[in-house]
Amino acid sequence: VEPLKNIGSGTFGVVKICKHIQTGQYIAMKQLNKDQIIRNKQVDHLKSEISILASISNALMVQFFGFTHNEYHFNIFMEMVQGGELFHYLREMGKLNWSQSVFYGGQIVLMFEYLHSKCVIYRDLKPENLLIGPDGYLKLTDFGFAKVLPPGHKTYTLCGTPEYIAPEILASKGHDKGADWWTVGVILYEFLEGIDPFSADTPSEIYKNILGNKLKFSSSMNSEAKSLIKRLLQADLTKRYGCLKNASQDIKNHPFFSILKWDKLSKKKIVPLYKPKIG
């Protein structure tokens, strides 16, 4: 492959657009600094990310093409999604309307339903990790915090982005896939209100808001949206939607999603309201 330009950077490296010399196809390469990965004891993390990427195959997730390394770098090759991050679209729009929130929210529910069926928890939902494909559908990317977690097990690592961290992670009580369903509540709130629900100036204030579960809704927030968000942003795991015996079905059957045809969505048969301009 021939590297063309950098399109992003993270803690341990950069993401570059590359051109496959034989096929002319554009692909994304996540290039990580080997020294930094080893020094920061991230090797197991990286192995886990690669094995998870290699094990998933879903139209709503970036496709994994392979992995190489040399003296200086680890390189992960993935599908190039040209529509950019949902984050930028959200910034531009300020907030989303009801039907777009249902359309994008529904895709996130399907993503987690799929990952959880593979015993994978994701733990890093945020608009920056959702890319918009040329077809207007989302693709989940960045599996750096994802982890294989067998049913009935819990994990204790503090990870994620402050605004999205579930209270059980902050309280070090051990967490499982329930932490992912909490983040769906956060992102739906953000879609409809244009700001995250526990927003504050510093991480420690954000954590205080999350643990205090101070949820405020604007008067424009529809009652069905409010009802679903409250059921997802429920600190008590025995009451949180997604964690009950019907699992994700409780979320899919909620009136918030009543206009959504789930089978059409999973086959990408719903026409999106927005398609990014490519080129």
Side-chain angles (χ1 to χ4, degrees), residues 17-220:
I17 297 183
C18 301
K19 191 175 185 176
H20 194 281
I21 294 159
Q22 279 87 19
T23 63
Q25 184 188 10
Y26 290 102
I27 55 178
M29 173 176 76
K30 189 167 164 182
Q31 186 172 69
L32 303 164
N33 181 307
K34 217 172 197 178
D35 276 354
Q36 279 184 303
I37 294 281
I38 293 163
R39 247 202 334 267
N40 288 282
K41 301 185 171 54
Q42 292 295 311
V43 176
D44 286 344
H45 240 130
L46 181 62
K47 281 183 180 165
S48 149
E49 179 176 3
I50 290 161
S51 74
I52 287 170
L53 275 169
S55 72
I56 58 182
S57 164
N58 185 289
L60 296 172
M61 292 173 201
V62 290
Q63 203 182 339
F64 172 69
F65 293 137
F67 171 76
T68 61
H69 65 101
N70 57 29
E71 200 181 333
Y72 306 106
H73 296 115
F74 292 115
N75 302 311
I76 303 175
F77 297 95
M78 288 170 295
E79 167 186 15
M80 174 71 208
V81 183
Q82 286 175 297
E85 297 171 359
L86 181 64
F87 174 78
H88 296 303
Y89 179 63
L90 258 177
R91 273 283 151 92
E92 209 178 293
M93 300 302 291
K95 49 183 164 179
L96 301 180
N97 65 27
W98 169 269
S99 52
Q100 271 189 309
S101 301
V102 167
F103 177 67
Y104 291 140
Q107 290 172 64
I108 297 166
V109 171
L110 292 177
M111 289 168 187
F112 284 168
E113 194 174 60
Y114 172 79
L115 288 174
H116 296 166
S117 77
K118 298 252 179 212
C119 298
V120 171
I121 55 170
Y122 179 70
R123 304 195 292 184
D124 201 17
L125 183 69
K126 54 183 172 181
E128 292 90 328
N129 287 344
L130 294 161
L131 306 175
I132 306 179
D135 60 359
Y137 277 76
L138 298 177
K139 293 244 183 205
L140 187 64
T141 189
D142 197 345
F143 287 76
F145 285 138
K147 181 172 185 163
V148 174
L149 193 70
H153 287 242
K154 286 195 185 302
T155 181
Y156 292 83
T157 325
L158 175 64
C159 65
T161 301
E163 291 81 355
Y164 287 81
I165 294 179
E168 64 270 22
I169 298 183
L170 289 175
S172 307
K173 285 181 181 166
H175 60 274
D176 57 13
K177 62 177 196 263
D180 280 342
W181 295 121
W182 172 276
T183 62
V184 177
V186 176
I187 210 164
L188 285 176
Y189 183 101
E190 194 175 342
F191 286 169
L192 291 156
E193 296 277 27
I195 184 170
D196 43 85
F198 305 107
S199 167
D201 294 335
T202 65
S204 62
E205 288 176 281
I206 293 169
Y207 298 154
K208 211 153 92 191
N209 290 345
I210 291 169
L211 291 168
N213 207 348
K214 293 183 172 61
L215 256 190
K216 292 189 185 77
F217 294 97
S218 67
S219 54
S220 62

